[in-house]
Amino acid sequence: MKYARFIAGGRPLNGHLHDGHLIDAAGVAHDPDSVQFRLPVDPPKVIALALNYHDHAGELGLTQPSEPALFWKPNTTLLPHRGTVIYPRGAEFMHYEVELGVILGRDARRVKAKDAMDYVGGYTVGNDLVVRDYVTNTFRPPLRGKGWDTFGPLGPYYVTADEIADPHDLTLTAHVNGELRQQGSTRDMIFSIPELIEHISRFMTLQRDDVILTGTPKGISHVHPGDVMRLEVGGLGVLENGIQEEDAGAEPIKGKESKEGEWDGR
């Protein structure tokens, strides 16, 4: 089942997708093009993976990690389907990353990989936006590059796990202004979903509705204010967000992080 949270007629509603309409709890049908989507879940936390695709690591000229490379996406980054992404003033290279988002169906702690899929509630589409200018030092968590407000669109649907026969065989695509920019498959993930859940839950409680963003394949490119990103993961729907430049009162961030192995004196 594909579930959505949305606003229609000024009311926050929940519904499921049926024959192209969102059916709310009262059985009323809503046109998905006429509602305001909300986040598919309100996650307690969002954990993301860096360099979890072989070709993406090569694209960036970086060594593939020997264990999952994790970082946080602050909850202030989260943005629903059709929400507006804000382009930071002073950014030189900002790009999208289409990702499979795994939603926890129940709390998980010290879960073994062989049991891990029993803890998956469902899936959604994620966009792990980043300003690459601020991800030059791989010894630092990429918070300044990936933690900007609006840099974590999710949605539009919460697709229950039973709908997806094999989450490790899904096509991912990203279009910008109608042009195909990125294409890959979850077959190429370095660390599988069970491996990720086992690794993370060994030292951290994964809570119901937590989201794990599982990484992105090769194919990043610069986006600009005025662009529209349209990201799709097979069977999960299409996540679309436009980009708007930060307001004129925002002072551009100047300077970049020191490169790996250097110290910038701060």
Side-chain angles (χ1 to χ4, degrees), residues 15-228:
H16 67 276
L17 192 65
H18 180 72
D19 290 338
H21 288 83
L22 290 169
I23 311 301
D24 68 22
V28 177
H30 303 265
D31 180 356
D33 291 332
S34 301
V35 304
Q36 179 183 344
F37 277 84
R38 299 159 63 205
L39 291 169
V41 291
D42 287 320
K45 55 185 173 292
V46 179
I47 301 170
L49 268 290
L51 307 177
N52 199 34
Y53 282 73
H54 299 281
D55 57 0
H56 183 53
E59 175 180 38
L60 297 173
L62 297 172
T63 303
Q64 295 177 10
S66 58
E67 65 175 42
L70 307 174
F71 61 93
W72 298 102
K73 289 292 282 192
N75 282 33
T76 48
T77 66
L78 299 182
L79 189 73
H81 173 55
R82 294 202 292 255
T84 301
V85 171
I86 302 301
Y87 186 102
R89 286 189 175 272
E92 296 178 11
F93 181 20
M94 170 176 155
H95 63 78
Y96 51 83
E97 292 186 356
V98 59
E99 308 204 3
L100 170 66
V102 178
I103 304 173
L104 272 291
R106 57 191 173 113
D107 290 4
R109 182 76 162 94
R110 298 179 183 171
V111 172
K112 297 299 184 184
K114 64 182 179 61
D115 303 316
M117 296 306 291
D118 294 338
Y119 290 79
V120 174
Y123 306 95
T124 194
V125 184
N127 186 355
D128 177 21
L129 285 149
V130 55
V131 176
R132 185 58 56 181
D133 316 8
Y134 307 131
V135 193
T136 56
N137 188 330
T138 55
F139 285 106
R140 294 182 177 179
L143 284 176
R144 187 162 68 160
K146 292 173 174 278
W148 291 80
D149 291 355
T150 75
F151 269 34
L154 295 175
Y157 303 112
Y158 183 138
V159 182
T160 54
D162 61 293
E163 285 248 326
I164 304 301
D166 184 0
H168 300 97
D169 189 19
L170 302 177
T171 299
L172 305 96
T173 58
H175 289 78
V176 179
N177 303 328
E179 176 190 358
L180 179 64
R181 298 277 187 93
Q182 186 178 28
Q183 186 168 18
S185 171
T186 56
R187 291 191 304 270
D188 298 324
M189 286 195 294
I190 296 172
F191 299 103
S192 68
I193 295 166
E195 290 172 319
L196 295 174
I197 292 174
E198 178 178 60
H199 178 78
I200 298 168
S201 72
R202 178 62 186 88
F203 61 89
M204 177 194 307
T205 298
L206 289 169
Q207 299 166 275
R208 180 178 177 176
D209 291 341
D210 277 353
V211 176
I212 302 173
L213 294 177
T214 55
T216 198
K218 179 181 178 180
I220 59 172
S221 65
H222 195 179
V223 288
H224 306 83
D227 287 346
V228 176

